[in-house]
Amino acid sequence: MLASLVPILSLMLSTLLMMVAFGLQSYVVPVRAVAEGWSTQTISMIATGYTIGFTLSCIVTPKFVLLVGHVRVFVALTTMLAIAILLCALVVDWPAWMLFRAISGFAISGSYLIIESWLNEKVTNDNRGSVFSIYLITTMVGTIGGQYLVPLGDPSNTTLFILCGIIFSVALLPTALTSSPLPAAPTQVRFNVPTLYRRSPVAVVGAFLAGALSGAWLNLGGVFTQRSGLTTAEGATLLASVLIGSSLSQIPIGRASDRMDRRLVMVACGAVGTVSCLVMALVAGGPPVLLYIVAACVGSVIFPIYALNVAHANDRAQPDEYVEVSSGMMIVYGVGTISGPIMVGPIMDRFGPGSLFAVLAVYFLLYGAYAAWRIRRREENDGLVAKTDFQAMAAQPLAADAAAAALQPDAVPEELVEDTTTPEWRQP
């Protein structure tokens, strides 16, 4: 496991710093919006701009990766993140913020896509769940650290916005200056969500529901803390509790998914999420300590489930299809994030902040129920593609050619690739 992390240390450091800034941004923006007196529906509209940019990036970013490679695009996107949050400090107007948040969503989505496709080139089916768990723990730790920066400043002035922009700028340095072997740029960019669905229906449907869950929580969780009467410090602790729960569960969930049918783990996560959200809806407005505990239970599944879907989809992908699979999954995830705030915002305005978790419970129920249904419809190893371990290569003039050759179909021994003809269950 440790050997598999060496080639991605600089990427992980950049990810950690980027998520510190992202955590600060994701809390300071809704807190400032509430302070401006904007309604929950207006804040949901701003969040919609973010999710539209997020989804658009899933289509556009791979084309830039094809042209100039992973690192240059990552640097450009991180710079856009810094610009977007600084613009929010300069122009405090909700239609303008919708545009700025769209820029931010475009940049963060592209960054995720690059990071995840980069990671997928470095792992195998045997350790994919575990490595992705470590990656997600890194994102959670960074986000928690960023959220706890909010009580150190005043969201009503520009200080926290400027600090956020500075951290985004620093985040690009480790990856921009790395000497580790870089992933090979894709030779083509395709977007075929129907094919992705035929290969792994549960991954696609699960990604949509995971997007709806995270979109609703990330954009309206801060509103929930403000409307529930929590102080800024208590609100930061509640948001951190969700991330702490997620961090603690990442490795157990990842390891479990590497050792059994990933869909069984999805069913379990759906059940835990449904029960936890229903309890949270009932105790909203109660003692902060009780809210922290239940929020940690919600967090234990709300973010890890997307990694399960990505791992399940990549189990059925060829080595030269990782960017395509990551793009397709992010597109579906992005569409899901659009539905989250649009659905929840008006419901929170009408029924109160606790209704946020009632809607999340419905999403979790659908997530687990669909995975259970797919277990009955398809065998665990149907469509599985076995892969050889990634071999790191020295940086030399021929390294790019060697990497390109390694990604050709011939690089995978025939006996390791299962028959890709249409199985009986898929016949008309």
Side-chain angles (χ1 to χ4, degrees):
M1 173 59 69
L2 292 177
S4 64
L5 295 177
V6 172
I8 57 174
L9 285 178
S10 60
L11 179 64
M12 286 296 189
L13 181 56
S14 285
T15 301
L16 177 65
L17 292 169
M18 182 182 74
M19 295 312 296
V20 169
F22 179 79
L24 174 57
Q25 169 188 272
S26 64
Y27 195 17
V28 74
V29 167
V31 168
R32 178 63 178 271
V34 171
E36 292 293 323
W38 298 338
S39 68
T40 306
Q41 190 164 359
T42 298
I43 298 172
S44 298
M45 291 297 295
I46 297 172
T48 301
Y50 174 90
T51 55
I52 291 173
F54 189 102
T55 306
L56 179 63
S57 180
C58 300
I59 301 172
V60 176
T61 297
K63 299 182 184 298
F64 286 112
V65 175
L66 177 65
L67 292 174
V68 300
H70 291 72
V71 173
R72 289 174 178 167
V73 177
F74 184 79
V75 170
L77 293 173
T78 308
T79 303
M80 289 175 63
L81 285 167
I83 293 171
I85 192 64
L86 293 175
L87 286 173
C88 286
L90 289 174
V91 183
V92 184
D93 183 61
W94 80 260
W97 274 31
M98 188 173 180
L99 173 61
F100 303 153
R101 294 294 288 157
I103 295 172
S104 181
F106 182 96
I108 198 68
S109 172
S111 298
Y112 288 153
L113 188 147
I114 289 173
I115 293 168
E116 291 173 14
S117 63
W118 195 328
L119 290 177
N120 270 308
E121 189 173 315
K122 309 296 184 183
V123 300
T124 67
N125 286 348
D126 292 332
N127 65 7
R128 178 173 289 113
S130 299
V131 171
F132 259 76
S133 294
I134 293 172
Y135 153 62
L136 289 174
I137 287 174
T138 302
T139 66
M140 299 307 158
V141 170
T143 306
I144 290 171
Q147 289 173 345
Y148 271 107
L149 294 177
V150 176
L152 301 179
D154 184 359
S156 64
N157 59 41
T158 61
T159 303
L160 291 175
F161 291 86
I162 294 172
L163 177 60
C164 188
I166 291 172
I167 299 174
F168 273 132
S169 300
V170 174
L172 62 84
L173 297 179
T175 298
L177 300 175
T178 184
S179 60
S180 298
L182 303 179
T187 57
Q188 60 181 330
V189 175
R190 300 184 299 254
F191 304 99
N192 197 332
V193 174
T195 297
L196 184 60
Y197 176 82
R198 287 193 295 270
R199 285 183 181 178
S200 179
V202 72
V204 173
V205 174
F208 174 83
L209 293 171
L213 284 160
S214 64
W217 174 250
L218 289 174
N219 289 290
L220 297 174
V223 177
F224 170 82
T225 64
Q226 295 293 297
R227 298 278 162 83
S228 297
L230 299 176
T231 66
T232 301
E234 289 172 342
T237 301
L238 187 139
L239 296 181
S241 297
V242 172
L243 297 176
I244 289 171
S246 183
S247 299
L248 294 175
S249 68
Q250 291 289 352
I251 289 180
I253 288 176
R255 287 182 175 175
S257 74
D258 285 339
R259 288 165 172 76
M260 66 177 71
D261 189 339
R262 298 194 202 275
R263 296 171 299 177
L264 289 172
V265 184
M266 294 177 192
V267 173
C269 289
V272 171
T274 301
V275 173
S276 299
C277 286
L278 288 176
V279 173
M280 192 71 174
L282 293 174
V283 302
V289 174
L290 178 60
L291 295 179
Y292 302 155
I293 294 172
V294 182
C297 294
V298 175
S300 68
V301 289
I302 195 169
F303 295 119
I305 59 174
Y306 178 66
L308 286 175
N309 300 120
V310 172
H312 192 275
N314 278 290
D315 286 344
R316 287 154 175 77
Q318 297 290 349
D320 61 348
E321 296 175 330
Y322 290 141
V323 172
E324 177 184 349
V325 169
S326 293
S327 301
M329 291 293 288
M330 290 293 285
I331 289 171
V332 175
Y333 179 85
V335 173
T337 62
I338 294 174
S339 72
I342 290 177
M343 174 71 72
V344 177
I347 292 176
M348 288 181 69
D349 270 339
R350 182 171 181 179
F351 298 104
S355 60
L356 166 63
F357 289 95
V359 178
L360 297 186
V362 173
Y363 283 134
F364 271 120
L365 180 62
L366 293 173
Y367 181 88
Y370 187 77
W373 183 70
R374 288 304 308 172
I375 291 173
R376 295 172 58 87
R377 296 282 296 174
R378 188 179 191 181
E379 294 295 329
E380 176 183 359
N381 293 325
D382 187 7
L384 190 68
V385 176
K387 304 177 183 65
T388 56
D389 289 348
F390 173 81
Q391 301 294 327
M393 294 170 286
Q396 53 184 338
L398 295 179
D401 292 337
L407 289 176
Q408 296 304 313
D410 291 341
V412 182
E414 261 183 41
E415 66 269 20
L416 294 180
V417 182
E418 293 189 7
D419 181 17
T420 57
T421 56
T422 304
E424 289 184 4
W425 68 268
R426 207 181 289 163
Q427 296 287 351

